[in-house]
Amino acid sequence: MSFEPLQRTVPPLALVDVTKRYESGGGAVTALSHVDFAVESGEVVAVVGPSGSGKSTMLNVLGLLDEPTEGSVELRGETTAGLSEAERTDARRESLGFVFQDFHLLPTLSAVENVRLPTAFLPDDVTDRAHELLELVGLGDRLDHTPDELSGGQKQRVAIARALINEPDVLLADEPTGNLDRDTGTAILEESRRIADEAGVGVVAVTHDDLVTEYADRTVELVDGVLRDV
Amino acid sequence: MSDRRFPALSLATRNLSRQRLRAALAALGIVIGVFAVVTLGLLGNALSVAAQVAAVRRAADGRGTVVPLQSTGGTVRGTGGQSVAQVYGTDNPQALFGNGSGAVPSSHRQGALVGSGLADELDLRPGSTVTVEQNEYRVVGVLPPVEGISPLQPDSAVVLPPGEFASDDVSQVVVRANSPEDARAVASGVRERLNSRQQRVSVFSLTSVLDRISEFFDLLNGFLLAIAGVSLVVAGVSIFNVMLMTVAERRGEIGVLRAVGIHREQVLRTLLVEATLLGVAGGAVGAVLGAATVVVVATRTELPLWAVLQPGNVVVPLGAFAFGVFIALVGGLYPAYRAAWEPPVEALRG
Ligand SMILES: Nc1ncnc2c1ncn2[C@@H]1O[C@H](COP(=O)(O)OP(=O)(O)OP(=O)(O)O)[C@@H](O)[C@H]1O
Ligand SMILES: [Mg+2]
């Protein structure tokens, strides 16, 4: 006999039997095939796999940037299938943080302004929190620098701070160390690990890099759109 | 920072400052278009108004006086030579030829009044003697030169008391009406009563001249404004082009905005503010330059300044400015829409 726990914890973000197909020219490409996946709060998951295996597709679907062909994406246990574009946009801003391989900072904005960017059209002033986050990632002395005055590692730290500005449930990172040297990459990963532990944020990081798996709680592998545990 | 209150404006100004030369060139198109509309519009208005007012003023000076006029031609001799001239006979030269200055008498019983052009030509001034068809007259006055349009040509004429004419036949009756409307009414009244059965008099009304003037200037203005409008449309195309380039270059950035939770409408707004700012800057410069140019032209030429500075003319630069802003907004619409509505995954893939 086993007992159902009284309160089951709902994962902040999950894929339920997700399939993603692209119709292109000659035939259809199945980028994801019946993928079931969940990330828990405070957990770091590394997604590995060969090129073209569907890692970026999986992250885009998780991040509500792309919609699955079949199956559903669940945000705190609720399906996102019926959401309008505006509701998906709000959900991204409120619950998710993105970190990209090439940083994608706005070149005209200072570090603080880049961190504040997700809230730019909201009434509340988050400047103080932006300062705190930049201090947290070790850029307390670079607040007013523009991206071209920052190194690659510093840019990625600004991007991480931006991803955290709205206290997201999950941080989604597509090859966050892809454009960084090994030492800088290590520092960024330590940062992510610390954030996951301290803030209880779930982290899903796509990577080619063995290094990432060292800092991960678990690693999953995608091969031709099929996900399995490693 | 104050730009938190207008995030679209703040993001837009920064993006414009990134490509200053390109932004300046796009705004220059609007400057030229608005400049063309303002200068051509103001000049057209001022010319039309100046011409009409010159004619109306002459028509409105009298108080609806009716002046019978005899006229014939004759040889006129003075100290400076001789000439064939128009000879008018009237007992009220003030009403027909005066300019309100009092130089022309309102009753005329003896002596001759000489038109300013003829006086110069024959070297006549008050007190000298003029010979009209063998009869000598003392010159009692020189008529002021005529401005504007008149059915009579007093500049090269001699005016004599009506008693000096061999016959009493009146060849013309000049009616000075109080307003162009009155003139029109009198003209049609005369036509109706005197010419209902047969053509007994021919009515030549100054208002028909006015109508022609304003018709002509309306046509001219319309034509000039159409040309200027085309240059503004071209400016709109260049804004369109610049905005397309801008959003193509910033595709990834716009994708990031969408990914981190900025709504499509907010991206659209930011891009439209960008295009509109080009129109506002270009339009303001163009309107000020255009108005200043027309004022300078007016002070350097015979175009009267008051015709340029009439209050009604304010709508020309304001309208041209608004049109320039509108054109820039329209030029930015499609590029902004296309960029804001692009799915973020595709924009981010680059
Ligand atoms: N928009 C698209 N249209 C058509 N096919 C696509 C599209 N996006 C991705 N694919 C295809 O889906 C498959 C998975 O692509 P994805 O980008 O997810 O791979 P990946 O694992 O991230 O590869 P990499 O490690 O090289 O980044 C590939 O075969 C790719 O060609
Ligand atoms: Mg990828």
Side-chain angles (χ1 to χ4, degrees):
Chain A
M1 284 270 282
S2 68
F3 291 94
E4 279 271 315
L6 233 59
Q7 204 180 350
R8 241 172 32 138
T9 54
V10 177
L13 192 60
L15 301 178
V16 180
D17 196 21
V18 162
T19 295
K20 177 73 186 177
R21 263 190 298 276
Y22 292 107
E23 309 286 342
S24 63
V29 177
T30 304
L32 295 175
S33 176
H34 302 287
V35 171
D36 284 297
F37 174 80
V39 58
E40 305 293 340
S41 299
E43 178 191 39
V44 177
V45 183
V47 182
V48 298
S51 182
S53 58
K55 303 184 296 294
S56 296
T57 305
M58 177 176 155
L59 214 64
N60 289 337
V61 172
L62 271 173
L64 305 180
L65 292 168
D66 213 347
E67 284 180 87
T69 316
E70 287 163 25
S72 72
V73 185
E74 293 191 349
L75 190 60
R76 287 186 292 270
E78 291 187 30
T79 181
T80 58
L83 297 185
S84 68
E85 179 59 37
E87 288 165 336
R88 296 163 70 85
T89 304
D90 283 331
R92 284 199 295 271
R93 189 186 58 244
E94 285 159 11
S95 309
L96 306 173
F98 292 90
V99 176
F100 305 93
Q101 180 173 352
D102 23 347
F103 325 128
H104 280 316
L105 301 179
L106 260 60
T108 52
L109 303 185
S110 71
V112 173
E113 288 163 335
N114 263 295
V115 173
R116 282 193 329 215
L117 186 64
T119 68
F121 287 83
L122 298 180
D124 23 289
D125 187 357
V126 295
T127 308
D128 290 343
R129 176 160 166 79
H131 283 194
E132 281 166 27
L133 284 169
L134 282 170
E135 267 154 35
L136 183 77
V137 296
L139 289 176
D141 54 346
R142 297 282 191 280
L143 298 178
D144 294 319
H145 288 230
T146 51
D148 56 358
E149 297 164 342
L150 298 172
S151 70
Q154 288 169 333
K155 282 185 221 182
Q156 200 58 302
R157 287 160 196 267
V158 174
I160 290 173
R162 177 180 67 191
L164 294 173
I165 189 73
N166 279 321
E167 306 180 6
D169 301 327
V170 178
L171 201 83
L172 300 167
D174 197 346
E175 309 205 25
T177 60
N179 280 358
L180 303 174
D181 62 56
R182 201 173 171 79
D183 289 347
T184 317
T186 309
I188 292 291
L189 290 168
E190 278 168 0
E191 206 77 73
S192 310
R193 176 77 260 178
R194 192 157 59 92
I195 286 157
D197 293 341
E198 284 174 13
V201 176
V203 177
V204 180
V206 163
T207 183
H208 281 304
D209 196 345
D210 295 338
L211 194 63
V212 177
T213 54
E214 280 175 39
Y215 289 89
D217 295 306
R218 64 191 170 101
T219 302
V220 293
E221 186 180 20
L222 265 174
V223 178
D224 291 335
V226 178
L227 188 78
R228 59 185 177 84
D229 292 331
V230 176
Chain B
M1 260 206 229
S2 68
D3 50 54
R4 277 199 325 105
R5 275 203 288 155
F6 303 103
L9 185 64
S10 142
L11 287 172
T13 46
R14 283 168 194 235
N15 283 326
L16 286 175
S17 68
R18 209 179 329 177
Q19 290 277 358
R20 281 173 208 276
L21 181 62
R22 187 197 291 172
L25 286 176
L28 184 63
I30 297 285
V31 171
I32 293 170
V34 169
F35 177 84
V37 171
V38 170
T39 47
L40 295 179
L42 279 181
L43 277 179
N45 266 4
L47 284 174
S48 161
V49 165
Q52 289 192 60
V53 168
V56 169
R57 175 172 290 157
R58 289 190 55 78
D61 265 354
R63 318 251 20 112
T65 4
V66 176
V67 188
L69 183 72
Q70 292 162 294
S71 73
T72 179
T75 316
V76 180
R77 211 171 24 236
T79 38
Q82 72 170 39
S83 172
V84 176
Q86 190 79 25
V87 183
Y88 290 124
T90 177
D91 55 4
N92 188 356
Q94 164 81 75
L96 284 181
F97 309 117
N99 61 357
S101 68
V104 182
S106 59
S107 82
H108 188 200
R109 304 215 187 284
Q110 58 181 24
L113 292 162
V114 187
S116 62
L118 195 63
D120 283 348
E121 190 185 339
L122 303 183
D123 194 19
L124 297 168
R125 64 189 79 77
S128 51
T129 304
V130 62
T131 312
V132 180
E133 297 283 314
Q134 276 84 47
N135 300 316
E136 290 194 352
Y137 300 94
R138 216 170 74 85
V139 176
V140 294
V142 175
L143 301 175
V146 175
E147 289 161 11
I149 296 167
S150 160
L152 307 173
Q153 277 84 43
D155 277 1
S156 55
V158 180
V159 182
L160 299 175
E164 298 299 321
F165 281 70
S167 96
D168 284 343
D169 284 356
V170 169
S171 58
Q172 297 177 41
V173 177
V174 179
V175 181
R176 292 203 91 164
N178 292 334
S179 69
E181 286 69 36
D182 288 352
R184 211 175 275 122
V186 170
S188 68
V190 170
R191 259 189 216 106
E192 227 167 73
R193 293 200 193 164
L194 300 181
N195 289 352
S196 57
R197 300 209 176 164
Q198 62 181 93
Q199 176 83 18
R200 288 158 67 188
V201 298
S202 61
V203 182
F204 178 75
S205 116
L206 209 50
T207 52
S208 70
V209 177
L210 288 185
D211 287 346
R212 297 258 175 76
I213 294 174
S214 81
E215 236 170 64
F216 169 75
F217 276 102
D218 283 352
L219 198 70
L220 185 71
N221 278 0
F223 180 68
L224 292 178
L225 282 179
I227 293 177
V230 166
S231 74
L232 254 186
V233 170
V234 172
V237 172
S238 96
I239 298 264
F240 176 87
N241 185 33
V242 161
M243 289 307 292
L244 267 189
M245 277 162 69
T246 305
V247 298
E249 277 168 17
R250 299 201 327 245
R251 205 169 158 224
E253 285 172 35
I254 291 165
V256 173
L257 289 177
R258 297 282 294 109
V260 302
I262 310 285
H263 287 268
R264 292 197 284 219
E265 296 75 14
Q266 293 166 334
V267 174
L268 182 81
R269 207 189 309 153
T270 305
L271 292 170
L272 284 184
V273 168
E274 223 173 299
T276 307
L277 279 179
L278 293 175
V280 169
V285 172
V288 169
L289 275 186
T293 302
V294 173
V295 167
V296 169
V297 165
T299 56
R300 297 279 168 87
T301 64
E302 283 175 17
L303 183 69
L305 195 57
W306 59 259
V308 175
L309 298 179
Q310 332 153 47
N313 270 351
V314 172
V315 299
V316 174
L318 286 185
F321 172 77
F323 191 48
V325 172
F326 175 72
I327 286 280
L329 178 70
V330 169
L333 213 51
Y334 172 74
Y337 170 80
R338 209 177 73 163
W341 258 252
E342 182 176 30
V345 233
E346 271 156 45
L348 286 170
R349 199 167 23 232

